[in-house]
Amino acid sequence: MEIDKILVVGTGAMGGGIAQAALEGGCSIRLVDKDENRAAQAVERIRSRLERRLTEGKIQDRESEEMLGRITTVPDLSSCGDAQLVIEAASEKESVKEAIFRQLDAVALPSAIFASNTSAISITRLASLSGRPGKFIGMHFMNPAHVMKLVEVIPGLETTGETVEAIVGLCLKLGKRAVVVADSPGFVANRLLMPAINQAIHALQEGVASREDIDNVMRLGAGHPMGPLELADFIGLDICLEILETLCLELGETYRPCPLLRKMVAGGRLGKKSGGGFYDY
């Protein structure tokens, strides 16, 4: 099964990045948001990034216009049309995702595959509420999704081999590297990444080193492109907190969020998207 018609639910950083990656892979996209302004802003961000690629000589003008001609915005889930795949990239809250998939099952094609971009929530649990557990799978894109090459592909307990094959094939079509991982809390990426970010926040809270020095140790000493505190700002501190809460619930005290992280989220310092986190933007 070759997938070329995709519905993306969510117009934030991840939804917009996934939509762009799919456009660049030759797919047609419907982008869902009940707020027309948010949807228009998401398309404008995609346009701006494509214009930057055009200026850099990475794409031609006709390619940019052709891609933009394959994306439309729709106001609600009932407008999913003939989408072969639905990728949910909404809030990292299980109740929100469950409600979306329950609605989708009533309006999507019976043959459509459902995928969640969740960072840590059980795919099997979401699949059990979707009405189509055999056609349910996790597609955990890295941020920014239009740049990063990795997609963690997570089958649930009932996910069929045909569904896995179709999604791995789509990843290849989008120029991504698909890594199939077990349905375990945090999968691989966040099971390893979030404790590192959490420990960096603990080190800052305890005065072990400044934010800049903590980040420089990991950039210059471990070869990371971004330090853990800068990366947390980029991901969003609220998202980091939600992922750590899920991991702590599933895997225990090792993943308990640092009090400083909780305090910053409570104070509205969410990272780059709010204008300030560990750094100011």
Side-chain angles (χ1 to χ4, degrees):
M1 173 185 177
E2 182 173 353
I3 296 168
D4 55 20
K5 296 175 183 176
I6 300 174
L7 180 78
V8 177
V9 183
T11 56
M14 290 307 301
I18 292 168
Q20 182 174 337
L23 288 174
E24 293 182 8
C27 298
S28 296
I29 300 298
R30 291 184 180 211
L31 195 56
V32 180
D33 199 310
K34 62 183 178 181
D35 186 321
E36 292 183 7
N37 289 332
R38 278 202 305 255
Q41 289 168 6
V43 174
E44 189 55 39
R45 287 192 294 270
I46 293 172
R47 183 188 301 277
S48 178
R49 291 193 293 258
L50 290 176
E51 286 177 355
R52 194 177 311 128
R53 295 197 68 196
L54 181 63
T55 301
E56 294 168 351
K58 295 178 179 178
I59 59 173
Q60 301 297 315
D61 186 59
R62 58 180 176 76
E63 293 177 284
S64 176
E65 290 305 312
E66 193 271 336
M67 280 188 271
L68 290 168
R70 283 190 275 106
I71 185 168
T72 58
T73 60
V74 295
D76 54 57
L77 298 175
S78 65
S79 305
C80 57
D82 58 352
Q84 300 161 293
L85 169 67
V86 177
I87 303 177
E88 169 273 316
S91 167
E92 191 64 11
K93 295 184 184 299
E94 190 162 345
S95 60
V96 172
K97 295 179 186 297
E98 287 176 4
I100 287 170
F101 287 117
R102 286 183 188 276
Q103 292 177 57
L104 280 167
D105 188 46
V107 295
L109 292 175
S111 59
I113 294 171
F114 289 174
S116 177
N117 182 56
T118 179
S119 302
I121 297 169
S122 166
I123 296 300
T124 297
R125 200 157 61 236
L126 290 175
S128 70
L129 301 169
S130 71
R132 55 186 77 194
K135 292 183 174 294
F136 197 101
I137 199 164
M139 290 185 76
H140 181 211
F141 288 79
M142 305 296 112
N143 190 16
H146 59 287
V147 175
M148 302 295 281
K149 296 298 184 185
L150 175 67
V151 179
E152 286 184 307
V153 175
I154 311 103
L157 183 64
E158 302 293 339
T159 306
T160 67
E162 290 80 6
T163 298
V164 175
E165 184 179 347
I167 295 304
V168 169
L170 174 65
C171 291
L172 292 173
K173 179 178 176 178
L174 304 189
K176 306 296 187 184
R177 172 70 179 270
V179 176
V180 180
V181 302
D183 183 19
S184 179
F187 316 127
V188 173
N190 281 317
R191 188 164 181 162
L192 301 182
L193 176 62
M194 285 300 149
I197 287 176
N198 202 36
Q199 285 302 313
I201 300 171
H202 273 293
L204 181 65
Q205 177 179 272
E206 295 164 14
V208 175
S210 70
R211 62 187 182 182
E212 292 86 359
D213 286 344
I214 290 169
D215 280 348
N216 281 332
V217 164
M218 298 309 292
R219 274 197 298 261
L220 304 178
H224 294 187
M226 299 174 73
L229 299 176
E230 182 185 7
L231 179 57
D233 275 355
F234 185 75
I235 294 169
L237 302 191
D238 53 335
I239 294 172
C240 292
L241 178 59
E242 288 168 354
I243 295 170
L244 283 165
E245 295 277 27
T246 299
L247 292 173
C248 183
L249 181 65
E250 298 279 356
L251 298 175
E253 288 296 307
T254 300
Y255 296 89
R256 181 169 296 281
C258 177
L260 177 57
L261 175 60
R262 294 187 189 278
K263 183 185 293 186
M264 293 183 72
V265 172
R269 290 188 67 86
L270 307 183
K272 192 171 183 180
K273 63 185 175 184
S274 70
F278 293 108
Y279 296 89
D280 292 318
Y281 300 91

